[in-house]
PDB file of all heavy atoms in Angstrom:
ATOM      1  N   ILE A  26      -5.014 -18.697  -2.224  1.00 86.00           N
ATOM      2  CA  ILE A  26      -5.741 -17.573  -2.784  1.00 86.00           C
ATOM      3  C   ILE A  26      -5.840 -16.540  -1.666  1.00 86.00           C
ATOM      4  O   ILE A  26      -6.373 -16.842  -0.592  1.00 86.00           O
ATOM      5  CB  ILE A  26      -7.143 -17.992  -3.261  1.00 86.00           C
ATOM      6  CG1 ILE A  26      -7.016 -19.001  -4.401  1.00 86.00           C
ATOM      7  CG2 ILE A  26      -7.944 -16.770  -3.700  1.00 86.00           C
ATOM      8  CD1 ILE A  26      -8.324 -19.612  -4.840  1.00 86.00           C
ATOM      9  N   VAL A  27      -5.271 -15.358  -1.900  1.00 85.00           N
ATOM     10  CA  VAL A  27      -5.292 -14.310  -0.879  1.00 85.00           C
ATOM     11  C   VAL A  27      -5.928 -13.062  -1.457  1.00 85.00           C
ATOM     12  O   VAL A  27      -5.869 -12.812  -2.662  1.00 85.00           O
ATOM     13  CB  VAL A  27      -3.876 -13.984  -0.339  1.00 85.00           C
ATOM     14  CG1 VAL A  27      -3.275 -15.168   0.378  1.00 85.00           C
ATOM     15  CG2 VAL A  27      -2.954 -13.518  -1.438  1.00 85.00           C
ATOM     16  N   GLU A  28      -6.510 -12.290  -0.585  1.00 85.00           N
ATOM     17  CA  GLU A  28      -7.125 -11.038  -1.017  1.00 85.00           C
ATOM     18  C   GLU A  28      -6.063  -9.964  -1.211  1.00 85.00           C
ATOM     19  O   GLU A  28      -4.975 -10.045  -0.644  1.00 85.00           O
ATOM     20  CB  GLU A  28      -8.144 -10.592   0.024  1.00 85.00           C
ATOM     21  CG  GLU A  28      -9.316 -11.546   0.120  1.00 85.00           C
ATOM     22  CD  GLU A  28     -10.394 -11.039   1.052  1.00 85.00           C
ATOM     23  OE1 GLU A  28     -10.490  -9.817   1.238  1.00 85.00           O
ATOM     24  OE2 GLU A  28     -11.137 -11.888   1.561  1.00 85.00           O
ATOM     25  N   GLU A  29      -6.425  -8.970  -1.982  1.00 77.00           N
ATOM     26  CA  GLU A  29      -5.498  -7.883  -2.290  1.00 77.00           C
ATOM     27  C   GLU A  29      -5.018  -7.173  -1.023  1.00 77.00           C
ATOM     28  O   GLU A  29      -3.879  -6.735  -0.953  1.00 77.00           O
ATOM     29  CB  GLU A  29      -6.168  -6.887  -3.232  1.00 77.00           C
ATOM     30  CG  GLU A  29      -5.229  -5.833  -3.739  1.00 77.00           C
ATOM     31  CD  GLU A  29      -5.846  -4.976  -4.815  1.00 77.00           C
ATOM     32  OE1 GLU A  29      -6.648  -5.479  -5.601  1.00 77.00           O
ATOM     33  OE2 GLU A  29      -5.509  -3.780  -4.836  1.00 77.00           O
ATOM     34  N   ASN A  30      -5.874  -7.082  -0.024  1.00 90.00           N
ATOM     35  CA  ASN A  30      -5.462  -6.356   1.183  1.00 90.00           C
ATOM     36  C   ASN A  30      -4.320  -7.054   1.921  1.00 90.00           C
ATOM     37  O   ASN A  30      -3.573  -6.404   2.648  1.00 90.00           O
ATOM     38  CB  ASN A  30      -6.645  -6.080   2.101  1.00 90.00           C
ATOM     39  CG  ASN A  30      -7.185  -7.321   2.768  1.00 90.00           C
ATOM     40  OD1 ASN A  30      -7.000  -8.440   2.294  1.00 90.00           O
ATOM     41  ND2 ASN A  30      -7.888  -7.124   3.871  1.00 90.00           N
ATOM     42  N   ALA A  31      -4.135  -8.357   1.742  1.00 92.00           N
ATOM     43  CA  ALA A  31      -3.000  -9.052   2.358  1.00 92.00           C
ATOM     44  C   ALA A  31      -1.696  -8.483   1.814  1.00 92.00           C
ATOM     45  O   ALA A  31      -0.751  -8.222   2.577  1.00 92.00           O
ATOM     46  CB  ALA A  31      -3.077 -10.551   2.112  1.00 92.00           C
ATOM     47  N   LEU A  32      -1.637  -8.262   0.524  1.00 93.00           N
ATOM     48  CA  LEU A  32      -0.459  -7.672  -0.095  1.00 93.00           C
ATOM     49  C   LEU A  32      -0.266  -6.239   0.398  1.00 93.00           C
ATOM     50  O   LEU A  32       0.852  -5.841   0.746  1.00 93.00           O
ATOM     51  CB  LEU A  32      -0.595  -7.711  -1.618  1.00 93.00           C
ATOM     52  CG  LEU A  32       0.566  -7.175  -2.436  1.00 93.00           C
ATOM     53  CD1 LEU A  32       1.862  -7.887  -2.090  1.00 93.00           C
ATOM     54  CD2 LEU A  32       0.250  -7.301  -3.920  1.00 93.00           C
ATOM     55  N   GLN A  33      -1.347  -5.482   0.480  1.00 93.00           N
ATOM     56  CA  GLN A  33      -1.261  -4.091   0.949  1.00 93.00           C
ATOM     57  C   GLN A  33      -0.732  -4.015   2.378  1.00 93.00           C
ATOM     58  O   GLN A  33       0.059  -3.118   2.699  1.00 93.00           O
ATOM     59  CB  GLN A  33      -2.627  -3.423   0.854  1.00 93.00           C
ATOM     60  CG  GLN A  33      -3.090  -3.208  -0.566  1.00 93.00           C
ATOM     61  CD  GLN A  33      -4.539  -2.770  -0.656  1.00 93.00           C
ATOM     62  OE1 GLN A  33      -5.299  -2.879   0.295  1.00 93.00           O
ATOM     63  NE2 GLN A  33      -4.933  -2.282  -1.821  1.00 93.00           N
ATOM     64  N   VAL A  34      -1.138  -4.926   3.228  1.00 94.00           N
ATOM     65  CA  VAL A  34      -0.673  -4.946   4.619  1.00 94.00           C
ATOM     66  C   VAL A  34       0.838  -5.170   4.670  1.00 94.00           C
ATOM     67  O   VAL A  34       1.556  -4.486   5.400  1.00 94.00           O
ATOM     68  CB  VAL A  34      -1.419  -6.032   5.431  1.00 94.00           C
ATOM     69  CG1 VAL A  34      -0.737  -6.314   6.758  1.00 94.00           C
ATOM     70  CG2 VAL A  34      -2.866  -5.622   5.642  1.00 94.00           C
ATOM     71  N   HIS A  35       1.330  -6.089   3.856  1.00 95.00           N
ATOM     72  CA  HIS A  35       2.771  -6.370   3.853  1.00 95.00           C
ATOM     73  C   HIS A  35       3.566  -5.233   3.226  1.00 95.00           C
ATOM     74  O   HIS A  35       4.673  -4.922   3.689  1.00 95.00           O
ATOM     75  CB  HIS A  35       3.048  -7.698   3.159  1.00 95.00           C
ATOM     76  CG  HIS A  35       2.586  -8.874   3.956  1.00 95.00           C
ATOM     77  ND1 HIS A  35       3.206  -9.277   5.114  1.00 95.00           N
ATOM     78  CD2 HIS A  35       1.549  -9.712   3.782  1.00 95.00           C
ATOM     79  CE1 HIS A  35       2.579 -10.316   5.610  1.00 95.00           C
ATOM     80  NE2 HIS A  35       1.559 -10.604   4.818  1.00 95.00           N
ATOM     81  N   ILE A  36       3.023  -4.598   2.211  1.00 96.00           N
ATOM     82  CA  ILE A  36       3.691  -3.437   1.618  1.00 96.00           C
ATOM     83  C   ILE A  36       3.787  -2.311   2.654  1.00 96.00           C
ATOM     84  O   ILE A  36       4.829  -1.657   2.789  1.00 96.00           O
ATOM     85  CB  ILE A  36       2.961  -2.953   0.343  1.00 96.00           C
ATOM     86  CG1 ILE A  36       3.087  -3.987  -0.786  1.00 96.00           C
ATOM     87  CG2 ILE A  36       3.447  -1.578  -0.094  1.00 96.00           C
ATOM     88  CD1 ILE A  36       4.475  -4.132  -1.388  1.00 96.00           C
ATOM     89  N   ALA A  37       2.725  -2.099   3.417  1.00 95.00           N
ATOM     90  CA  ALA A  37       2.745  -1.072   4.472  1.00 95.00           C
ATOM     91  C   ALA A  37       3.801  -1.396   5.518  1.00 95.00           C
ATOM     92  O   ALA A  37       4.531  -0.494   5.961  1.00 95.00           O
ATOM     93  CB  ALA A  37       1.362  -0.953   5.114  1.00 95.00           C
ATOM     94  N   SER A  38       3.927  -2.654   5.890  1.00 95.00           N
ATOM     95  CA  SER A  38       4.951  -3.021   6.888  1.00 95.00           C
ATOM     96  C   SER A  38       6.351  -2.860   6.311  1.00 95.00           C
ATOM     97  O   SER A  38       7.277  -2.463   7.026  1.00 95.00           O
ATOM     98  CB  SER A  38       4.730  -4.435   7.426  1.00 95.00           C
ATOM     99  OG  SER A  38       5.061  -5.403   6.459  1.00 95.00           O
ATOM    100  N   LEU A  39       6.511  -3.138   5.022  1.00 96.00           N
ATOM    101  CA  LEU A  39       7.803  -2.914   4.378  1.00 96.00           C
ATOM    102  C   LEU A  39       8.174  -1.434   4.373  1.00 96.00           C
ATOM    103  O   LEU A  39       9.314  -1.075   4.675  1.00 96.00           O
ATOM    104  CB  LEU A  39       7.777  -3.416   2.928  1.00 96.00           C
ATOM    105  CG  LEU A  39       8.073  -4.875   2.710  1.00 96.00           C
ATOM    106  CD1 LEU A  39       7.766  -5.276   1.279  1.00 96.00           C
ATOM    107  CD2 LEU A  39       9.512  -5.182   3.057  1.00 96.00           C
ATOM    108  N   ARG A  40       7.218  -0.595   4.046  1.00 96.00           N
ATOM    109  CA  ARG A  40       7.495   0.852   4.043  1.00 96.00           C
ATOM    110  C   ARG A  40       7.900   1.333   5.430  1.00 96.00           C
ATOM    111  O   ARG A  40       8.808   2.135   5.578  1.00 96.00           O
ATOM    112  CB  ARG A  40       6.289   1.621   3.531  1.00 96.00           C
ATOM    113  CG  ARG A  40       6.125   1.499   2.040  1.00 96.00           C
ATOM    114  CD  ARG A  40       5.179   2.548   1.484  1.00 96.00           C
ATOM    115  NE  ARG A  40       5.203   2.496   0.040  1.00 96.00           N
ATOM    116  CZ  ARG A  40       4.202   2.056  -0.707  1.00 96.00           C
ATOM    117  NH1 ARG A  40       3.074   1.670  -0.143  1.00 96.00           N
ATOM    118  NH2 ARG A  40       4.313   2.028  -2.024  1.00 96.00           N
ATOM    119  N   LYS A  41       7.233   0.835   6.436  1.00 95.00           N
ATOM    120  CA  LYS A  41       7.575   1.212   7.812  1.00 95.00           C
ATOM    121  C   LYS A  41       8.991   0.750   8.140  1.00 95.00           C
ATOM    122  O   LYS A  41       9.782   1.489   8.715  1.00 95.00           O
ATOM    123  CB  LYS A  41       6.566   0.601   8.778  1.00 95.00           C
ATOM    124  CG  LYS A  41       6.771   1.021  10.197  1.00 95.00           C
ATOM    125  CD  LYS A  41       5.682   0.486  11.093  1.00 95.00           C
ATOM    126  CE  LYS A  41       5.927   0.931  12.521  1.00 95.00           C
ATOM    127  NZ  LYS A  41       4.902   0.415  13.434  1.00 95.00           N
ATOM    128  N   ALA A  42       9.326  -0.474   7.749  1.00 95.00           N
ATOM    129  CA  ALA A  42      10.659  -1.014   8.026  1.00 95.00           C
ATOM    130  C   ALA A  42      11.749  -0.268   7.251  1.00 95.00           C
ATOM    131  O   ALA A  42      12.867  -0.120   7.744  1.00 95.00           O
ATOM    132  CB  ALA A  42      10.698  -2.504   7.676  1.00 95.00           C
ATOM    133  N   LEU A  43      11.424   0.215   6.047  1.00 94.00           N
ATOM    134  CA  LEU A  43      12.408   0.927   5.233  1.00 94.00           C
ATOM    135  C   LEU A  43      12.666   2.348   5.723  1.00 94.00           C
ATOM    136  O   LEU A  43      13.675   2.948   5.360  1.00 94.00           O
ATOM    137  CB  LEU A  43      11.958   0.955   3.774  1.00 94.00           C
ATOM    138  CG  LEU A  43      11.978  -0.389   3.053  1.00 94.00           C
ATOM    139  CD1 LEU A  43      11.352  -0.248   1.665  1.00 94.00           C
ATOM    140  CD2 LEU A  43      13.378  -0.951   2.968  1.00 94.00           C
ATOM    141  N   GLY A  44      11.774   2.898   6.512  1.00 92.00           N
ATOM    142  CA  GLY A  44      11.978   4.238   7.072  1.00 92.00           C
ATOM    143  C   GLY A  44      12.190   5.277   5.990  1.00 92.00           C
ATOM    144  O   GLY A  44      11.349   5.450   5.112  1.00 92.00           O
ATOM    145  N   GLU A  45      13.348   5.970   6.033  1.00 89.00           N
ATOM    146  CA  GLU A  45      13.608   7.044   5.078  1.00 89.00           C
ATOM    147  C   GLU A  45      13.736   6.545   3.638  1.00 89.00           C
ATOM    148  O   GLU A  45      13.682   7.336   2.701  1.00 89.00           O
ATOM    149  CB  GLU A  45      14.857   7.847   5.465  1.00 89.00           C
ATOM    150  CG  GLU A  45      16.166   7.128   5.236  1.00 89.00           C
ATOM    151  CD  GLU A  45      16.672   6.313   6.413  1.00 89.00           C
ATOM    152  OE1 GLU A  45      15.972   6.197   7.429  1.00 89.00           O
ATOM    153  OE2 GLU A  45      17.794   5.783   6.309  1.00 89.00           O
ATOM    154  N   ASP A  46      13.905   5.243   3.443  1.00 90.00           N
ATOM    155  CA  ASP A  46      13.973   4.683   2.093  1.00 90.00           C
ATOM    156  C   ASP A  46      12.615   4.204   1.583  1.00 90.00           C
ATOM    157  O   ASP A  46      12.527   3.628   0.499  1.00 90.00           O
ATOM    158  CB  ASP A  46      14.967   3.511   2.056  1.00 90.00           C
ATOM    159  CG  ASP A  46      16.403   3.955   2.247  1.00 90.00           C
ATOM    160  OD1 ASP A  46      16.717   5.115   1.887  1.00 90.00           O
ATOM    161  OD2 ASP A  46      17.210   3.161   2.751  1.00 90.00           O
ATOM    162  N   ALA A  47      11.558   4.450   2.325  1.00 91.00           N
ATOM    163  CA  ALA A  47      10.222   3.968   1.949  1.00 91.00           C
ATOM    164  C   ALA A  47       9.789   4.497   0.587  1.00 91.00           C
ATOM    165  O   ALA A  47       9.060   3.809  -0.142  1.00 91.00           O
ATOM    166  CB  ALA A  47       9.201   4.356   3.017  1.00 91.00           C
ATOM    167  N   ALA A  48      10.243   5.673   0.205  1.00 89.00           N
ATOM    168  CA  ALA A  48       9.847   6.250  -1.084  1.00 89.00           C
ATOM    169  C   ALA A  48      10.384   5.450  -2.269  1.00 89.00           C
ATOM    170  O   ALA A  48       9.896   5.594  -3.388  1.00 89.00           O
ATOM    171  CB  ALA A  48      10.325   7.697  -1.179  1.00 89.00           C
ATOM    172  N   LEU A  49      11.377   4.595  -2.027  1.00 91.00           N
ATOM    173  CA  LEU A  49      11.912   3.759  -3.102  1.00 91.00           C
ATOM    174  C   LEU A  49      10.947   2.637  -3.483  1.00 91.00           C
ATOM    175  O   LEU A  49      11.079   2.043  -4.549  1.00 91.00           O
ATOM    176  CB  LEU A  49      13.259   3.155  -2.692  1.00 91.00           C
ATOM    177  CG  LEU A  49      14.374   4.155  -2.413  1.00 91.00           C
ATOM    178  CD1 LEU A  49      15.619   3.438  -1.925  1.00 91.00           C
ATOM    179  CD2 LEU A  49      14.669   4.989  -3.650  1.00 91.00           C
ATOM    180  N   LEU A  50       9.994   2.352  -2.619  1.00 94.00           N
ATOM    181  CA  LEU A  50       8.968   1.345  -2.883  1.00 94.00           C
ATOM    182  C   LEU A  50       7.724   2.084  -3.361  1.00 94.00           C
ATOM    183  O   LEU A  50       6.963   2.632  -2.586  1.00 94.00           O
ATOM    184  CB  LEU A  50       8.682   0.541  -1.615  1.00 94.00           C
ATOM    185  CG  LEU A  50       7.620  -0.547  -1.697  1.00 94.00           C
ATOM    186  CD1 LEU A  50       7.865  -1.485  -2.866  1.00 94.00           C
ATOM    187  CD2 LEU A  50       7.587  -1.314  -0.393  1.00 94.00           C
ATOM    188  N   GLU A  51       7.568   2.130  -4.672  1.00 94.00           N
ATOM    189  CA  GLU A  51       6.520   2.956  -5.276  1.00 94.00           C
ATOM    190  C   GLU A  51       5.300   2.121  -5.647  1.00 94.00           C
ATOM    191  O   GLU A  51       5.422   1.028  -6.201  1.00 94.00           O
ATOM    192  CB  GLU A  51       7.058   3.646  -6.527  1.00 94.00           C
ATOM    193  CG  GLU A  51       6.088   4.595  -7.156  1.00 94.00           C
ATOM    194  CD  GLU A  51       6.681   5.340  -8.345  1.00 94.00           C
ATOM    195  OE1 GLU A  51       7.897   5.289  -8.555  1.00 94.00           O
ATOM    196  OE2 GLU A  51       5.896   5.970  -9.067  1.00 94.00           O
ATOM    197  N   THR A  52       4.130   2.665  -5.334  1.00 95.00           N
ATOM    198  CA  THR A  52       2.872   2.058  -5.760  1.00 95.00           C
ATOM    199  C   THR A  52       2.516   2.594  -7.132  1.00 95.00           C
ATOM    200  O   THR A  52       2.501   3.804  -7.340  1.00 95.00           O
ATOM    201  CB  THR A  52       1.729   2.409  -4.779  1.00 95.00           C
ATOM    202  OG1 THR A  52       2.064   1.911  -3.486  1.00 95.00           O
ATOM    203  CG2 THR A  52       0.411   1.809  -5.235  1.00 95.00           C
ATOM    204  N   ILE A  53       2.248   1.690  -8.048  1.00 94.00           N
ATOM    205  CA  ILE A  53       1.759   2.068  -9.367  1.00 94.00           C
ATOM    206  C   ILE A  53       0.266   1.759  -9.328  1.00 94.00           C
ATOM    207  O   ILE A  53      -0.141   0.597  -9.457  1.00 94.00           O
ATOM    208  CB  ILE A  53       2.472   1.282 -10.496  1.00 94.00           C
ATOM    209  CG1 ILE A  53       3.994   1.347 -10.336  1.00 94.00           C
ATOM    210  CG2 ILE A  53       2.010   1.784 -11.851  1.00 94.00           C
ATOM    211  CD1 ILE A  53       4.599   2.733 -10.293  1.00 94.00           C
ATOM    212  N   ARG A  54      -0.502   2.778  -9.070  1.00 94.00           N
ATOM    213  CA  ARG A  54      -1.938   2.634  -8.791  1.00 94.00           C
ATOM    214  C   ARG A  54      -2.656   1.766  -9.820  1.00 94.00           C
ATOM    215  O   ARG A  54      -2.549   1.978 -11.012  1.00 94.00           O
ATOM    216  CB  ARG A  54      -2.576   4.015  -8.729  1.00 94.00           C
ATOM    217  CG  ARG A  54      -3.823   4.037  -7.874  1.00 94.00           C
ATOM    218  CD  ARG A  54      -4.371   5.417  -7.671  1.00 94.00           C
ATOM    219  NE  ARG A  54      -3.832   6.240  -6.617  1.00 94.00           N
ATOM    220  CZ  ARG A  54      -3.903   6.004  -5.314  1.00 94.00           C
ATOM    221  NH1 ARG A  54      -4.429   4.897  -4.891  1.00 94.00           N
ATOM    222  NH2 ARG A  54      -3.432   6.863  -4.444  1.00 94.00           N
ATOM    223  N   GLY A  55      -3.356   0.766  -9.299  1.00 91.00           N
ATOM    224  CA  GLY A  55      -4.141  -0.126 -10.134  1.00 91.00           C
ATOM    225  C   GLY A  55      -3.342  -1.197 -10.850  1.00 91.00           C
ATOM    226  O   GLY A  55      -3.911  -2.040 -11.534  1.00 91.00           O
ATOM    227  N   VAL A  56      -2.009  -1.159 -10.707  1.00 95.00           N
ATOM    228  CA  VAL A  56      -1.168  -2.112 -11.438  1.00 95.00           C
ATOM    229  C   VAL A  56      -0.335  -2.969 -10.498  1.00 95.00           C
ATOM    230  O   VAL A  56      -0.435  -4.192 -10.491  1.00 95.00           O
ATOM    231  CB  VAL A  56      -0.237  -1.379 -12.438  1.00 95.00           C
ATOM    232  CG1 VAL A  56       0.639  -2.365 -13.181  1.00 95.00           C
ATOM    233  CG2 VAL A  56      -1.047  -0.538 -13.409  1.00 95.00           C
TER     234      VAL A  56
END
């Protein structure tokens, strides 16, 4: 059982790793 912020932390690291392609990883707010 993990908190939502664990997922957010990994998504942020993915966006950083993707660099100029970070916009391809879209957040659908609340979903």
